[in-house]
Amino acid sequence: MTPPTTSARGSRPRSLYRSMLSLAVAAVVAASIPFAAIYAGTPRQLPATAAVASAGSAGSGQSRLVTTASGRLIPAGVASTGGAGGGTAAITTRTSANGSD
Amino acid sequence: MLTHQLFWITSRAFGTIAMALLGTSVAVGLAMAGKLPRKRGAAARLRRFHESAALVTVGLIAAHGGLLLFDSYLRPGVLGITVPFTLGYRPLATGVGVIAGWLTAIFAASFYVRRRIGARLWRRIHRFTPVAYALAVFHALAAGTDAANPWMVATLTGLTFPVVFALSYRLLGSQRDGRPAPAAGAGGLRSAMSVPQ
């Protein structure tokens, strides 16, 4: 075991400082991801060209997600409120952007 | 129901795996650049993993976009999945995803033109790899319908932590050293990737 050389002196605290600062930065950035996800989950404006149909309306096409009144996207099959043409205003159905569905 | 959404579900799965592999590959690359692996021979092994992971990521991204072509709901068209901001569905988020995909493909392909373009230029190009990762995270959060799911949030958080740690570690190291970049050429590249003894 050789003693540390002059050039190596002080490298451990610097390395520790480097690691700690890197960990702190990484923790802050990583911790911001859930907040970004929450922000991304906020209600969005549907594309203007997308047809908006009331839930359960006949021939509304390949509905995959529905936007609830609170703005959350949920699978279309889950929210079955409103019958044929029931027009439950709280739930809308997203269709394809070209509106052909 | 399942067959109807098969392409969309499969595309999401490929996108999620691509995201995970991209994050891992970027973190490993940054760790190598920051000389974090100290064990003898570890850098060479990690480099092999980094290179192959990047290539597989490009394949997964191609599958992620390509499968959407068959999705009767989205109907993106070839233009929509290859040219940024041309897709009608969340144009910004999907456009950023397309850019991230192209950047990842360029960075992965750069392994094979390294000798032709020189190590210095290769390193300059490669420094922007974290940008591709950041764009991919934005795409996953803003365009992905799984963004609000706890498992996706946990995955992205878990992937981002080592990437940012390795990036900070590398940046702090280069600031502290204040050394000029190693000379161009294979020797320079080796010294940049070498493990400190």
Side-chain angles (χ1 to χ4, degrees):
Chain A
M1 188 75 184
T2 53
T5 59
T6 312
S7 59
R9 193 179 296 155
S11 65
R12 185 170 280 275
R14 269 205 300 264
S15 177
L16 188 68
Y17 163 77
R18 187 182 170 191
S19 300
M20 284 173 67
L21 194 58
S22 302
L23 279 170
V25 172
V28 169
V29 175
S32 70
I33 295 283
F35 293 99
I38 291 166
Y39 177 77
T42 53
R44 296 187 190 89
Q45 186 74 41
L46 291 172
T49 52
V52 178
S54 57
S57 62
S60 62
Q62 301 160 13
S63 59
R64 173 176 292 153
L65 297 170
V66 293
T67 308
T68 64
S70 62
R72 290 191 70 83
L73 289 172
I74 56 171
V78 175
S80 57
T81 54
T88 308
I91 300 174
T92 56
T93 307
R94 294 177 66 132
T95 62
S96 65
N98 60 19
S100 61
D101 288 325
Chain B
M1 174 77 177
L2 186 65
T3 50
H4 172 62
Q5 300 194 359
L6 184 68
F7 291 113
W8 184 62
I9 292 167
T10 317
S11 173
R12 277 162 61 202
F14 274 112
T16 307
I17 302 164
M19 187 75 235
L21 209 53
L22 176 66
T24 311
S25 179
V26 170
V28 166
L30 286 167
M32 284 191 301
K35 296 176 184 173
L36 272 166
R38 302 283 167 93
K39 217 172 170 182
R40 191 184 287 269
R45 277 198 300 273
L46 285 174
R47 193 164 56 222
R48 277 197 295 274
F49 170 79
H50 173 63
E51 196 172 329
S52 52
L55 287 172
V56 174
T57 303
V58 173
L60 290 168
I61 292 169
H64 171 59
L67 282 164
L68 287 177
L69 288 174
F70 304 100
D71 184 35
S72 55
Y73 173 79
L74 194 63
R75 292 178 192 169
V78 178
L79 212 66
I81 60 163
T82 52
V83 181
F85 312 115
T86 53
L87 190 61
Y89 176 74
R90 296 179 192 172
L92 178 67
T94 49
V96 165
V98 172
I99 293 171
W102 280 120
L103 283 177
T104 307
I106 291 166
F107 296 140
S110 73
F111 284 120
Y112 301 98
V113 291
R114 193 162 52 191
R115 283 188 182 176
R116 195 174 296 173
I117 63 175
R120 184 174 286 183
L121 180 59
W122 178 82
R123 261 200 313 276
R124 270 191 199 157
I125 295 169
H126 227 70
R127 269 180 205 152
F128 291 95
T129 313
V131 175
Y133 175 75
L135 294 177
V137 170
F138 175 81
H139 168 71
L141 288 173
T145 44
D146 300 304
N149 286 338
W151 62 266
M152 181 52 112
V153 174
T155 303
L156 290 175
T157 306
L159 286 169
T160 303
F161 186 87
V163 169
V164 178
F165 170 74
L167 179 65
S168 307
Y169 194 84
R170 169 156 165 65
L171 292 176
L172 287 170
S174 61
Q175 270 184 356
R176 187 201 66 187
D177 294 342
R179 286 194 303 252
L189 177 71
R190 267 196 295 276
S191 65
M193 293 292 194
S194 66
V195 183
Q197 301 298 317

